[in-house]
């Protein structure tokens, strides 16, 4: 979401994301109004930034014995160069247990990182996946699963997103 135009309760028309004369560290009004779900004003116009879908995707699940080891591994990912790493999320043991129960899966019920690599070159994606696997092994991972097909990746992310609902 880039910008909004809305009608305020007093009837005034307001727009967000206009060019300003100086830099400001104030509130992000676009997100504030969007998050208020209509309680601060009625949105009459909005602008989205649209991104193209990636041509290729590869995903992986990396299991750890504890959350601390998983967190240290994520820090290592952030400090290294993994150009195609687009998403990195973690579920703790109880989250993985909920995922298994709701989606009838057989994933290990320990802290687990969900990774997704995106790009146009499958060789680069696979190299980045191998590099993250090596980094994870240095940080004590107990399991590594690679998903090379889009449908398998989508199933994993659906389970990740839906485990708390």
């Amino acid at each position: 979401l880039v910008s909004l135009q809305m009608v305020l309760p007093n009837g005034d028309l307001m727009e967000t994301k206009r060019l300003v004369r100086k830099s400001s560290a104030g509130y992000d009004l676009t997100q504030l109004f969007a998050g208020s779900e209509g309680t601060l004003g009625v949105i009459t116009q909005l602008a989205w930034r649209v991104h193209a879908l990636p041509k290729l995707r590869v995903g992986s699940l990396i299991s750890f014995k504890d959350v601390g080891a998983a967190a240290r591994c994520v820090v290592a990912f952030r400090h290294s160069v993994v150009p195609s790493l687009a998403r990195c999320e973690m579920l703790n043991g109880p989250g993985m247990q909920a995922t298994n129960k709701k989606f009838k899966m057989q994933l290990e019920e320990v802290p687990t990182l969900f990774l997704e690599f995106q790009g146009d070159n499958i060789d680069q994606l696979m190299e980045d996946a191998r590099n993250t696997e090596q980094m994870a092994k240095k940080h004590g991972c107990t399991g590594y699963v690679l998903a090379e097909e889009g449908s398998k990746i989508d199933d994993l992310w659906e389970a990740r997103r839906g485990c708390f609902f």
Side-chain angles (χ1 to χ4, degrees), residues 3-150:
S3 67
L4 297 172
Q5 181 182 63
M6 69 223 78
V7 177
L8 300 175
N10 67 359
D12 291 346
L13 190 63
M14 179 182 164
E15 291 183 35
T16 63
K17 296 291 182 185
R18 286 186 165 182
L19 293 176
V20 293
R21 297 168 84 181
K22 65 179 185 110
S23 176
S24 172
Y27 294 109
D28 182 350
L29 293 178
T30 300
Q31 296 303 318
L32 179 70
F33 274 89
S36 73
E37 298 178 356
T39 60
L40 298 177
V42 177
I43 298 171
T44 58
Q45 206 174 62
L46 51 90
W48 294 98
R49 178 174 293 128
V50 181
H51 300 279
L53 291 174
K55 291 182 182 175
L56 301 169
R57 297 181 307 137
V58 172
S60 62
L61 292 180
I62 307 173
S63 305
F64 291 88
K65 62 182 177 190
D66 60 60
V67 172
R72 287 187 292 278
C73 187
V74 171
V75 170
F77 292 162
R78 298 285 299 160
H79 286 119
S80 66
V81 177
V82 186
S84 65
L85 182 59
R87 291 198 276 181
C88 176
E89 296 186 20
M90 186 192 78
L91 278 179
N92 61 8
M96 293 300 291
Q97 186 177 20
T99 297
N100 283 339
K101 185 175 181 179
K102 181 171 182 179
F103 292 94
K104 312 243 184 303
M105 300 178 92
Q106 300 296 318
L107 300 171
E108 195 174 0
E109 295 176 356
V110 296
T112 303
L113 296 178
F114 289 70
L115 305 181
E116 183 173 325
F117 305 90
Q118 300 176 353
D120 297 328
N121 182 330
I122 190 65
D123 294 329
Q124 179 67 50
L125 298 180
M126 296 306 291
E127 181 180 339
D128 288 347
R130 281 191 299 273
N131 289 341
T132 57
E133 180 181 11
Q134 294 305 315
M135 282 186 269
K137 286 179 178 177
K138 289 179 185 175
H139 288 87
C141 81
T142 58
Y144 184 91
V145 177
L146 182 66
E148 296 182 48
E149 295 178 21

Side-chain angles (χ1 to χ4, degrees), residues 144-164:
Y144 184 91
V145 177
L146 182 66
E148 296 182 48
E149 295 178 21
S151 62
K152 289 182 182 177
I153 297 166
D154 292 338
D155 291 344
L156 292 174
W157 281 107
E158 180 63 28
R160 159 63 190 99
R161 284 195 277 298
C163 76
F164 293 113

